Amino acid sequence: RSLVAMAVEVRRIIVRGNTHTRDHVIRQELRHAAKCTTYDELGEALVDATRRLQSLGVFKEANVLLDADPTPLPDTGKVGAVLIVDVVEGSRVSATTGTYVQNGEGSMETSLLAKNLLGLAERAELNLTRGHQQSNSYTLDLVKPRPFGHEMSLRAGASKTSVSHARVASYTEKVHGAHASAEFGAAASARGSHTVGYDVAFREMGKISPAASAAIQSEPRESFREALRYTWAVDHRDHELAPMQGHALRLSTELSGLRPGQARSIKQQAEFGWHATLWSRIGLALGVSGGVGAIVPLSRTAVPAGAGASADGPRSFISDRFLLGGTQNVRGFRTHGIGPRAQRTELSAEQRAAIEAAAARPTVQPGQWMDTGFAGMSSHAPSDGPALPRGTLDSLGGDLLAHGMASVSVAMPGALGRAGVRAHAFVNGGNLVKWQDWNQSGSTFMDRMTSFADHTRVATGVGLFFPTPLGRLEVNYCHAHRRFGMDTTKRLQLGLCSVFF
């Protein structure tokens, strides 16, 4: 009989090299292989088991060998087999640091990763970010890949963030939150990945500038958010940040306001990317990407009573709305420079001088502890009070979003190309509106869609991009061909694109 069709029975599994990893974590990845009855099935199962072991992320090397079992078998016509698993464990603690510019703010990020400390292939991820505009973020995540050998991953974590929107919206937001999720499958597989999650957060608007627009002043100062989310994603691209071939699609739905009495809304978003190699010799590739989104309030008002809810219809929280403009989506426009905006309050010269003087005063005495945890440096600390923002407009965000981009990219010659730097030329555009503007733009759905399309912003540009561990770093020279109202543009643009389709 052919060897591949010969009946086989796996009698033993031997695990070697696992100093810290528990045996059952490795053995559960070979459960399917242990049930195979022919050499043909067993060979395919061992290839898959090796891939699964390597994807746990805790081994430098993982190999599975097949050997004959010398133990005599009853007269069953089967050949006894032994599976020998050899692993080399990787480092259990690592750290990375980096700097980047995003949303007009320079930031430094430090990440600490602890793997396999309990021997269960688990991960603990601590991420610390500090921005020059006093934004900061502390996030702790615990991850358990493939519990009980199932093709899924469990994640739970907590975060504390302070995000400065002073430059674009005249306020700072503090968020204390927790999250939990379960991911089934893998985005690179044919069926993609399915993620179900739960988020809870307490949000607080603070340091609102006296020059903030009336729209920002009318926003609720505090809000409690509870949400369920579901995401389906498939990603068959050859690279996440600099793809030359393949396609990707992500669909997400988020339901917030789960308890009685809370404002309820549903947020839906779709993002896609398609890429094809035109000339592999020089790395020439064509790419088309884009996204659409909508926030649909399910209760009459999506903000608490007295918070300035519009009489024209329901209104969403500013923190939940979509933002458009910048290297993240529509290049050639400033960060959050497209869509609904409001004129800031004009202050007198005396008011401005008083605010600037208060902002320059230190809030603590020399030698006292600051938020950074360092002593002796607080005499140079700025005030915790609101400062005067630059510019005259506040970005308010929107409820209906659409954007797209078509680009041609090519590898740079020489050392730049070997380092992964690519040049690209692109045309991109998009639009962002509030529900109130959508309802007032026409009497029928087609009239509103026509108005939405007619107000699409368009820009073209050329530039360089480079994939980094923090995201896709881009420097572009752009020209905006179509802009409306209070949109703000930017010709020379440097920024980080954390997610690229």
Side-chain angles (χ1 to χ4, degrees), residues 124-380:
E125 304 169 359
L126 178 62
N127 185 277
L128 312 174
T129 304
R130 186 80 177 181
H132 81 275
Q133 294 180 4
Q134 298 186 1
S135 293
N136 58 72
S137 172
Y138 310 90
T139 304
L140 175 64
D141 276 315
L142 304 177
V143 183
K144 178 64 177 79
R146 287 204 294 278
F148 309 109
H150 297 298
E151 194 66 38
M152 63 180 296
S153 177
L154 301 178
R155 177 183 292 266
S159 62
K160 176 183 178 182
T161 62
S162 177
V163 182
S164 174
H165 299 286
R167 178 174 165 272
V168 295
S170 304
Y171 75 96
T172 295
E173 182 184 36
K174 292 183 178 180
V175 182
H176 297 77
H179 53 270
S181 64
E183 181 180 2
F184 304 87
S189 66
R191 296 184 178 182
S193 66
H194 303 263
T195 304
V196 180
Y198 170 79
D199 302 320
V200 59
F202 176 75
R203 305 176 295 189
E204 179 182 4
M205 285 182 64
K207 298 185 182 179
I208 299 178
S209 170
S213 62
I216 295 295
Q217 296 284 0
S218 69
E219 291 288 335
R221 297 298 186 265
E222 297 179 349
S223 64
F224 179 77
R225 183 174 182 274
E226 204 175 12
L228 288 174
R229 53 185 166 84
Y230 167 76
T231 302
W232 176 75
V234 59
D235 192 344
H236 295 163
R237 297 173 298 173
D238 56 355
H239 197 287
E240 289 185 353
L241 299 175
M244 292 181 58
Q245 191 72 34
H247 64 276
L249 176 64
R250 182 170 64 185
L251 307 176
S252 61
T253 300
E254 187 176 85
L255 176 65
S256 60
L258 305 180
R259 299 185 182 182
Q262 292 182 344
R264 185 167 299 173
S265 65
I266 187 168
K267 183 176 184 178
Q268 294 185 298
Q269 194 167 6
E271 297 169 290
F272 72 93
W274 176 85
H275 306 270
T277 300
L278 301 179
W279 191 359
S280 59
R281 184 176 179 181
I282 61 173
L284 183 66
L286 171 68
V288 178
S289 60
V292 295
I295 301 174
V296 183
L298 302 179
S299 52
R300 176 57 186 167
T301 57
V303 293
S310 172
D312 295 328
R315 197 181 83 175
S316 56
F317 283 109
I318 187 171
S319 301
D320 297 330
R321 297 174 199 152
F322 298 109
L323 298 167
L324 194 62
T327 54
Q328 194 70 35
N329 36 55
V330 182
R331 296 148 185 83
F333 291 82
R334 289 188 177 274
T335 302
H336 307 168
I338 296 177
R341 298 160 74 81
Q343 192 75 36
R344 288 172 177 163
T345 303
E346 185 175 353
L347 301 178
S348 66
E350 292 78 7
Q351 289 175 313
R352 297 182 66 89
I355 295 170
E356 290 172 352
R361 288 197 297 268
T363 57
V364 291
Q365 298 301 316
Q368 290 183 329
W369 289 91
M370 292 181 58
D371 288 341
T372 57
F374 294 99
M377 298 178 61
S378 56
S379 59
H380 302 290

Side-chain angles (χ1 to χ4, degrees), residues 298-485:
L298 302 179
S299 52
R300 176 57 186 167
T301 57
V303 293
S310 172
D312 295 328
R315 197 181 83 175
S316 56
F317 283 109
I318 187 171
S319 301
D320 297 330
R321 297 174 199 152
F322 298 109
L323 298 167
L324 194 62
T327 54
Q328 194 70 35
N329 36 55
V330 182
R331 296 148 185 83
F333 291 82
R334 289 188 177 274
T335 302
H336 307 168
I338 296 177
R341 298 160 74 81
Q343 192 75 36
R344 288 172 177 163
T345 303
E346 185 175 353
L347 301 178
S348 66
E350 292 78 7
Q351 289 175 313
R352 297 182 66 89
I355 295 170
E356 290 172 352
R361 288 197 297 268
T363 57
V364 291
Q365 298 301 316
Q368 290 183 329
W369 289 91
M370 292 181 58
D371 288 341
T372 57
F374 294 99
M377 298 178 61
S378 56
S379 59
H380 302 290
S383 168
D384 283 337
L388 288 175
R390 296 180 181 179
T392 61
L393 300 172
D394 285 329
S395 298
L396 305 179
D399 304 308
L400 297 172
L401 166 77
H403 64 91
M405 172 179 171
S407 66
V408 176
S409 66
V410 64
M412 291 292 290
L416 289 177
R418 289 191 294 271
V421 179
R422 296 178 61 82
H424 68 158
F426 59 86
V427 55
N428 62 186
N431 195 5
L432 177 69
V433 300
K434 299 183 295 184
W435 275 116
Q436 292 90 334
D437 298 332
W438 167 266
N439 292 332
Q440 296 171 5
S441 63
S443 58
T444 66
F445 177 79
M446 289 306 301
D447 290 341
R448 295 168 182 174
M449 284 294 296
T450 300
S451 176
F452 187 88
D454 288 343
H455 287 80
T456 298
R457 285 71 163 176
V458 179
T460 58
V462 294
L464 301 175
F465 65 86
F466 172 64
T468 73
L470 300 176
R472 172 172 158 143
L473 182 63
E474 294 189 16
V475 54
N476 299 312
Y477 182 79
C478 313
H479 176 69
H481 298 272
R482 181 190 283 183
R483 51 173 292 188
F484 293 95

Side-chain angles (χ1 to χ4, degrees), residues 86-126:
D86 286 314
V87 297
V88 178
E89 295 178 331
S91 174
R92 295 195 292 166
V93 179
S94 61
T96 59
T97 61
T99 59
Y100 61 92
V101 177
Q102 188 173 27
N103 296 339
E105 181 176 16
S107 300
M108 182 178 71
E109 182 181 60
T110 301
S111 298
L112 303 175
L113 176 62
K115 300 185 294 185
N116 209 26
L117 296 183
L118 302 178
L120 300 173
E122 81 291 343
R123 301 195 308 270
E125 304 169 359
L126 178 62

